[in-house]
Amino acid sequence: MEEFQMEAGSSDRLDQLNTWVTEYGSDVLNLAYSYVKNYHVAQDITQDVFLRAFTKIQTFRGDSGVKTWLLSITANRCKDYLRSWVVRHETNDLTLQTEATHQLGDDTEQAAIVRLERDALWRAVNRLPVKYREVIVLFYQRELSSAEVAQTLGISEATVRTRLHRGRALMRELMEGGERS
Amino acid sequence: MTEPQDEWRLRFQEMMQAEVSESLRRRILEEASQREREAMVRRQPRQTGAWKSWFAGLAGVCAAAVVAGVVWTDRSLPVAPTPPTAATTGQSNRLLQETVFGLQKSQLIATGIKVVRPANAPGGPILQATVTNIGNTVVTPQDVVGVLGFTQHPGQDLLSTSNWIDFVNGPSGPLAPGQYATWSFNPIGVNVNSQGHIIGQPKLVFFSTKLVSPAKADRILTSAPGVQLQNVHVVPRSVSNTGRSFEVRARLVNTGNKPIILNQLLSLVWFSPQAGASWTAASAERFFDQVEAVDPSTTIVAPGQSTEVVLPPLIGSNTPNFLQWNANVLVISHTW
């Protein structure tokens, strides 16, 4: 478990937040991207996650690691987003908006988005149903243990193992299908 | 044979990953800072002025001094009488003992610190970072002193676990609330591995030069108990276009009742143009340094024993010649 020391001052909290962004920003952003499949929305969720963590910094007890705590917030925020009215009713608009935003993004960011979208593994992961996708990403990409995945998602370890097994099989099918086509 | 689990892990290691951009990090910190300010206003109803959040663009390049050093003097706390020293340079040099300094983090926060020129390049490594004023008042160069260190892992404590640590300057000009600037620094003498890469993760923290009581401090510096330096000599070594190097030699006496482990000590060395000036003075040249025995086989000094020590060579700015100023040395415990 990561060490976490509660610090009192405003500057310390901001410094702590900055450290978290450095250490876990990539974990949060990639998990968010795996849920929402949109780089800019994933960035917005990442910002929201860290700000929520920041406001709760005094109440964080350290019972779990900081990483699993942040990823747990991320998973919940993403599920809220996917359930939201915006996603259910404005999918087409969102797509258009995303394309427009892509054109406005700087070259480095645009290149990163293109690389993400072209990555064969990401494409396969993104085609998995959410319940398999989240455990696959947390376990293999973010390298959490099955116990940590269970804690992050609020499910049992047995369920994690079952979904990993099924998720791998689906991934294999998707990737072999992709290779054949 | 590779297990299926390992095979998947290998596949995922090669997967393209999204990285947090500097602009996203700044967005997060600025928003958090804004929330802090709003919360502060709510807690202090008499200060009803609405915060005008403004984020200026690049404020300018803040080049840190080649090597800066330290100076600590808390006038509100007792400082032991100046023991006799025999420094070879400067006037009325003094050696501070049994001193406590309370440090508070400043409102400057460093983000995106990275190596922009490798250690094995001509001229040595250059680090760069974005320094943002997340407070609600203007910060001037005289308000802050930076500490740069390299730790094994990003989250480790800068002051107690760095394999290399030194003082650095803050921005070269004032930073208004929300304003940020690019900071760069050439850490001469930083530890590198056999491939010429810097060892450790860089971490940069800015402290306020206004010292506070230990109760209010984010960090406390205390002189190492039982350590007394005698016959302190500041020995100039060389002068070049880029800097002026020197080392400090002294006899370390263990006046306490516990063994002194030398690699748990750090020394604070500073030079000031006025006698008795604080290390926080804008004109001071400040340094952090290790304490090594002249005889490399000596690592521990038993109670009542003494050994010749050297504070390894340091490089300060070329002009003015700070070695002619008043020299101050304080040995602190590494585990602060």
Side-chain angles (χ1 to χ4, degrees), chain B residues 288-311:
Chain B
F288 257 140
D289 206 356
Q290 295 166 311
V291 179
E292 296 176 356
V294 171
D295 174 4
S297 65
T298 303
T299 56
I300 296 174
V301 181
Q305 299 296 304
S306 67
T307 189
E308 294 295 324
V309 294
V310 60
L311 316 185

Side-chain angles (χ1 to χ4, degrees), chain A:
Chain A
M1 186 186 299
E2 303 87 342
E3 283 188 20
F4 176 74
Q5 194 172 1
M6 199 65 71
E7 294 176 295
S10 166
S11 172
D12 279 350
R13 285 199 296 275
L14 288 162
D15 198 30
Q16 182 70 64
L17 177 66
N18 186 38
T19 302
W20 283 352
V21 174
T22 300
E23 293 183 22
Y24 310 114
S26 183
D27 294 304
V28 170
L29 180 60
N30 282 280
L31 180 63
Y33 180 75
S34 75
Y35 278 105
V36 300
K37 307 177 190 177
N38 178 302
Y39 183 74
H40 295 284
V41 175
Q43 280 191 316
D44 289 345
I45 289 174
T46 299
Q47 177 175 348
D48 186 51
V49 167
F50 279 108
L51 290 173
R52 280 171 186 262
F54 180 69
T55 56
K56 294 176 189 298
I57 205 164
Q58 300 287 20
T59 57
F60 176 64
R61 292 171 174 275
D63 296 336
S64 62
V66 176
K67 183 173 171 177
T68 51
W69 179 55
L70 290 170
L71 290 176
S72 178
I73 299 173
T74 308
N76 290 329
R77 292 300 301 136
C78 288
K79 287 171 185 173
D80 288 345
Y81 171 80
L82 293 174
R83 281 193 293 264
S84 69
W85 188 89
V86 173
V87 173
R88 284 185 287 113
H89 296 271
E90 293 192 349
T91 307
N92 292 337
D93 289 347
L94 183 67
T95 306
L96 290 173
Q97 188 186 4
T98 303
E99 286 169 359
T101 314
H102 281 196
Q103 288 165 11
L104 293 173
D106 64 47
D107 290 345
T108 310
E109 197 168 75
Q110 180 63 25
I113 294 167
V114 169
R115 283 199 299 274
L116 282 174
E117 290 174 350
R118 285 183 181 165
D119 189 290
L121 203 51
W122 264 121
R123 290 216 302 270
V125 167
N126 284 343
R127 290 170 66 189
L128 289 173
V130 168
K131 67 177 182 180
Y132 301 121
R133 198 189 316 152
E134 60 189 7
V135 292
I136 288 278
V137 168
L138 287 170
F139 187 81
Y140 286 115
Q141 196 202 43
R142 305 330 306 169
E143 299 186 335
L144 265 58
S145 66
S146 54
E148 289 171 327
V149 175
Q151 190 178 20
T152 300
L153 299 176
I155 56 179
S156 71
E157 266 194 83
T159 306
V160 170
R161 285 193 291 271
T162 304
R163 290 183 185 176
L164 276 175
H165 180 75
R166 179 68 185 138
R168 280 194 302 267
L170 281 171
M171 283 280 289
R172 199 172 290 114
E173 285 173 25
L174 288 166
M175 295 188 79
E176 286 170 359
E179 284 164 14
R180 277 199 298 271
S181 61

Side-chain angles (χ1 to χ4, degrees), chain B residues 150-172:
Chain B
F150 294 86
T151 59
Q152 190 177 359
H153 302 293
Q156 286 184 312
D157 180 62
L158 169 69
L159 301 175
S160 60
T161 61
S162 293
N163 70 55
W164 184 97
I165 189 167
D166 209 345
F167 288 90
V168 297
N169 287 347
S172 57

Side-chain angles (χ1 to χ4, degrees), chain B residues 1-312:
Chain B
M1 198 176 93
T2 309
E3 294 293 318
Q5 292 271 58
D6 297 331
E7 181 189 316
W8 282 100
R9 287 223 185 266
L10 288 173
R11 281 193 185 191
F12 272 84
Q13 279 172 8
E14 293 171 4
M15 187 179 193
M16 170 70 193
Q17 295 204 26
E19 298 295 336
V20 172
S21 64
E22 197 50 35
S23 61
L24 174 59
R25 178 199 298 274
R26 200 175 302 125
R27 245 165 60 196
I28 293 167
L29 292 173
E30 285 171 355
E31 180 63 29
S33 172
Q34 176 70 11
R35 289 184 184 189
E36 281 287 283
R37 288 198 290 263
E38 287 168 358
M40 202 181 301
V41 170
R42 281 197 298 276
R43 285 196 297 269
Q44 298 173 344
R46 294 181 69 183
Q47 296 177 7
T48 53
W51 291 110
K52 185 178 178 184
S53 174
W54 56 282
F55 301 105
L58 191 68
V61 174
C62 338
V66 175
V67 171
V70 154
V71 185
W72 262 277
T73 306
D74 185 347
R75 295 181 189 282
S76 66
L77 293 164
V79 176
T82 305
T85 65
T88 56
T89 62
Q91 300 163 10
S92 57
N93 300 297
R94 63 196 185 122
L95 180 64
L96 299 181
Q97 293 176 359
E98 297 175 20
T99 309
V100 179
F101 303 112
L103 296 177
Q104 222 169 22
K105 286 185 181 173
S106 86
Q107 26 182 72
L108 295 188
I109 194 161
T111 60
I113 185 164
K114 61 190 173 189
V115 178
V116 293
R117 192 173 75 189
N120 52 9
I126 289 185
L127 295 178
Q128 207 170 67
T130 300
V131 176
T132 306
N133 180 357
I134 57 171
N136 49 38
T137 55
V138 174
V139 177
T140 69
Q142 293 74 32
D143 293 334
V144 295
V145 59
V147 179
L148 172 71
F150 294 86
T151 59
Q152 190 177 359
H153 302 293
Q156 286 184 312
D157 180 62
L158 169 69
L159 301 175
S160 60
T161 61
S162 293
N163 70 55
W164 184 97
I165 189 167
D166 209 345
F167 288 90
V168 297
N169 287 347
S172 57
L175 279 184
Q179 204 171 18
Y180 60 91
T182 301
W183 170 98
S184 61
F185 183 71
N186 176 209
I188 296 171
V190 68
N191 294 318
V192 296
N193 62 19
S194 56
Q195 285 82 45
H197 299 133
I198 293 175
I199 298 171
Q201 306 286 330
K203 187 168 183 182
L204 173 62
V205 177
F206 290 100
F207 291 102
S208 169
T209 51
K210 289 177 185 164
L211 297 167
V212 296
S213 67
K216 293 179 181 173
D218 294 316
R219 305 298 307 220
I220 297 170
L221 295 183
T222 54
S223 53
V227 173
Q228 188 182 66
L229 289 187
Q230 297 175 349
N231 301 327
V232 180
H233 296 265
V234 178
V235 183
R237 285 169 59 91
S238 64
V239 182
S240 70
N241 291 335
T242 53
R244 186 179 295 276
S245 78
F246 69 96
E247 66 182 22
V248 178
R249 289 178 172 266
R251 169 159 285 273
L252 185 149
V253 183
N254 184 348
T255 59
N257 53 15
K258 291 180 181 173
I260 292 168
I261 302 167
L262 293 179
N263 68 10
Q264 290 183 351
L265 302 177
L266 274 179
S267 60
L268 232 60
V269 182
W270 72 97
F271 299 85
S272 51
Q274 291 91 33
S278 163
W279 66 272
T280 55
S283 57
E285 285 277 330
R286 310 175 271 260
F287 304 88
F288 257 140
D289 206 356
Q290 295 166 311
V291 179
E292 296 176 356
V294 171
D295 174 4
S297 65
T298 303
T299 56
I300 296 174
V301 181
Q305 299 296 304
S306 67
T307 189
E308 294 295 324
V309 294
V310 60
L311 316 185

